[in-house]
Amino acid sequence: MEPVTEERTAEPLTEYVHRVTRRLRAFDRRHPLLWDAHFTGFWVTAALIDYYGGGWRTLAHDLDVPDALLLTLSLGLSVPLLWRRSHPRAALLLMAPAAFVNAWSGAALQAALLQLVLVYHIALRLPLRTLWWVAPLLTAPVFVTVARYGEGTWHQQVGSQLTSIAVAALIGITVRTRRSHTEALEDRARRLEIERDQQAQLAAAAERARIAREMHDIIGHNLSVITGLADGGRYAAAKSPERAAQALDAIGTTSRQALGELRRLLDVLREEEKEKAELAPQPTLADLDHLVSGVRNAGLPVRTTVHGRASLPPGRQLTVYRVVQEALTNTLKHAGPEATSEIVLEYGENGAATVTITDTGRGGPALTASDGRGLPGMRERTALYGGTLEAGPRPHPDRGWRVHLHLPEETPQ
């Protein structure tokens, strides 16, 4: 008994969070400026509150910085965030002069920390080699502060700044790696879906080709039999009405049989009936007698010789049946009114079989020019089992056509 595996489902809260996140990201992709404006407006407001509320005085090195300069620095360190996603490198360069003036003047505005947001976006969106000049650019104001006001030690101030830069960059790299991994998984899923659809299309094309071969065999054979019976009935109508009636009965039986087989094959093209159609039985060697009887009734004398005991798998039986059917159909079409046919079946062990169908009709160019899908179809069926198929005129002085099929023994698995 196979183990039952349960599909793992997300928790309701997790699924809800994912759903809301997807909606927010979709909205952001459609309206990126709206989110950028809100994000920037929040930090501009925070910087202005720090300026107007006097909070900057708690950390400032010089409390006599002009108000106009403080306002300019607050806006210069926050407004460039509007371009943090589209042009993070340019936004950082816009902040750099304000950061240097902030350090030199001793205002020490906390808005200078917003540069780390741009470090995050640079690590997220630009080549990582860009970080090599970002670190010195953000560290330089620290040297200015230490050199001008002498508060703290060099290694403490610079180390703290470098640590902040490294953390922001690592967060950006982590998010970038996760996005790349997610995109790779999504791309792989898309490729697998495309491959699955292509496989389905290939399978459908192969199925249609099989149906085309089956239809060719069924229609060609049964119409040839019906034509022969109709011709025979027309000649017999004047002299022997009973024979004409028998011919009409045979035509009706053959027509119904052909119609039934065509319906079964056409059902395969309907998706809702496909499983049912696949279960319909295919012809086997047991149906050869019925096939030969129909050909005889159409006016072609057929002699059958069997050597050995038939023990072929269903697929090989269908191949033998279709090859015999195609050969007899071509004989009915092209051999002429006085032709006869002979079938020799030799069965070996492990699925081996040899079938030879000969006739005494005209054969030759007529069959070669009008065989349609017949010979290619027979060769395709034969190739499935590693067999050989020979078809051509009989050697001189014999007249007629010869079809020789050989299926080797099955290879042990």
Side-chain angles (χ1 to χ4, degrees), residues 32-233:
L33 185 59
L34 183 61
W35 171 245
D36 290 341
H38 278 78
F39 183 86
T40 305
F42 174 82
W43 289 112
V44 169
T45 303
L48 293 178
I49 290 175
D50 184 54
Y51 159 62
Y52 284 111
W56 63 277
R57 296 179 179 276
T58 59
L59 296 176
H61 303 293
D62 185 358
L63 300 179
D64 297 327
V65 180
D67 290 344
L69 181 60
L70 290 173
L71 179 61
T72 302
L73 293 177
S74 297
L75 295 177
L77 292 171
S78 58
V79 172
L81 290 177
L82 184 64
W83 301 281
R84 75 191 193 285
R85 293 196 293 183
S86 58
H87 302 88
R89 181 164 40 195
L92 184 63
L93 292 176
L94 284 176
M95 281 187 179
F100 275 97
V101 174
N102 180 53
W104 180 265
S105 65
L109 295 176
Q110 295 300 297
L113 295 176
L114 294 177
Q115 295 177 102
L116 297 177
V117 176
L118 296 175
V119 173
Y120 163 80
H121 282 279
I122 288 174
L124 179 64
R125 304 174 190 280
L126 299 181
L128 295 181
R129 61 177 179 271
T130 308
L131 296 173
W132 289 110
W133 62 264
V134 169
L137 182 66
L138 268 66
T139 308
V142 176
F143 286 97
V144 172
T145 300
V146 174
R148 184 169 174 78
Y149 297 102
E151 293 188 6
T153 60
W154 289 92
H155 69 273
Q156 288 178 341
Q157 297 293 331
V158 175
S160 176
Q161 182 72 352
L162 290 176
T163 301
S164 300
I165 296 172
V167 170
L170 286 176
I171 294 175
I173 294 173
T174 302
V175 175
R176 181 176 186 166
T177 304
R178 183 176 179 274
R179 286 186 180 179
S180 300
H181 180 66
T182 303
E183 291 174 358
L185 291 178
E186 292 176 351
D187 181 69
R188 183 172 181 270
R190 284 193 297 268
R191 291 178 181 273
L192 289 175
E193 289 179 359
I194 294 174
E195 183 179 355
R196 180 198 62 192
D197 294 340
Q198 290 176 343
Q199 293 293 337
Q201 293 174 0
L202 291 174
E207 184 67 11
R208 291 190 184 96
R210 183 187 71 82
I211 293 171
R213 289 195 299 268
E214 297 291 338
M215 284 185 175
H216 170 271
D217 296 339
I218 294 169
I219 295 175
H221 171 73
N222 287 287
L223 287 181
S224 297
V225 172
I226 291 172
T227 302
L229 289 171
D231 290 340

Side-chain angles (χ1 to χ4, degrees), residues 276-318:
K276 180 178 179 181
E278 291 293 336
L279 299 177
Q282 295 280 8
T284 62
L285 294 177
D287 298 310
L288 276 178
D289 292 339
H290 183 72
L291 173 67
V292 173
S293 297
V295 174
R296 287 172 180 162
N297 291 334
L300 176 64
V302 181
R303 185 176 65 180
T304 303
T305 305
V306 180
H307 300 288
R309 180 174 175 272
S311 60
L312 276 66
R316 292 183 173 230
Q317 292 189 37
L318 178 61

Side-chain angles (χ1 to χ4, degrees), residues 357-376:
I357 307 102
T358 56
D359 64 60
T360 58
R362 293 191 298 265
L367 177 58
T368 305
S370 61
D371 59 344
R373 288 189 55 87
L375 287 176

